Amino acid sequence: MLTTEAAMTLSFPNPARSYDESKRRVRFLGHDGMFEVRFFVAAEVLSSDLVERTAVSDDYLASFDALRPKILKAAQAAYKAKNAQSIMLDLENFK
């Protein structure tokens, strides 16, 4: 586990993200110094403007891109609170 001080160094230098169809989530990475932190955003966070029955991975990724500033802010808050190497962001993280 990293220290609270280390949580303040969380950054997102790589804009890459991918959609995991089987788990219905988008994966992206953050970095805390030399440590990689995996983040996942649940599809329901991204589906407010999408029809889930017909949405495809490109739709979820486009929604992620549109919401990126809010998602990164939520990711930083979640990391500061949880300080783990893998964090799932769901609707609760955006209230």
Side-chain angles (χ1 to χ4, degrees):
M1 185 173 277
L2 304 173
T3 66
T4 303
E5 182 179 324
M8 303 310 269
T9 65
L10 185 66
S11 64
F12 302 95
N14 184 348
R17 74 284 183 270
S18 61
Y19 183 68
D20 180 344
E21 184 73 41
S22 65
K23 295 186 179 176
R24 298 187 30 78
R25 63 189 187 182
V26 171
R27 177 181 191 258
F28 67 102
L29 298 174
H31 292 274
D32 183 357
M34 63 184 228
F35 298 102
E36 185 176 88
V37 183
R38 293 175 307 276
F39 289 94
F40 304 94
V41 179
E44 56 266 10
V45 171
L46 306 170
S47 64
S48 64
D49 293 335
L50 304 175
V51 178
E52 288 189 54
R53 286 190 332 266
T54 59
V56 295
S57 62
D58 287 343
D59 297 326
Y60 289 109
L61 294 174
S63 182
F64 178 94
D65 292 340
L67 295 170
R68 186 180 293 269
K70 288 182 182 181
I71 291 169
L72 297 184
K73 184 177 179 182
Q76 290 209 350
Y79 182 67
K80 186 175 180 181
K82 189 174 182 183
N83 206 4
Q85 296 302 303
S86 182
I87 297 175
M88 180 72 180
L89 302 174
D90 58 22
L91 291 172
E92 287 295 314
N93 296 101
F94 295 88
K95 291 183 177 182

